[in-house]
């Protein structure tokens, strides 16, 4: 049991965090925040693909809200204005 705890705690978790922090330190902070914010979406996607997990309506709504928040966070205000106006400018 002790070796399993050591494997899980030291090797698996610590190595994963070390690699993740090292990789995120090499990208701009805006991109790192989007990557970290979408981590639950990726976990859900892999759970659906590998373990045939089924999603409910609230799961889809939550995913859409997370993606929308990431888009609002990364897009410039002028890009958002263009999305919601017909001629590229708000009246």
């Amino acid at each position: 049991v002790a070796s399993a705890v050591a494997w899980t705690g030291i090797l698996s978790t610590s190595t994963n965090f070390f690699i993740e922090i090292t990789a995120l330190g090499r990208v701009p902070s805006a991109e790192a925040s989007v990557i970290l914010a979408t981590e639950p979406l990726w976990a859900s996607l892999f759970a659906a693909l590998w373990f045939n997990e089924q999603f409910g309506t609230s799961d889809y709504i939550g995913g859409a809200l997370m993606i929308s928040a990431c888009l609002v966070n990364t897009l410039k205000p002028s890009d958002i204005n263009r999305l919601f106006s017909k001629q590229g400018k708000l009246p």
Side-chain angles (χ1 to χ4, degrees), residues 70-82:
C70 288
L71 286 174
V72 167
N73 187 36
T74 58
L75 292 175
K76 298 175 187 172
S78 60
D79 295 333
I80 295 172
N81 288 340
R82 261 186 281 156

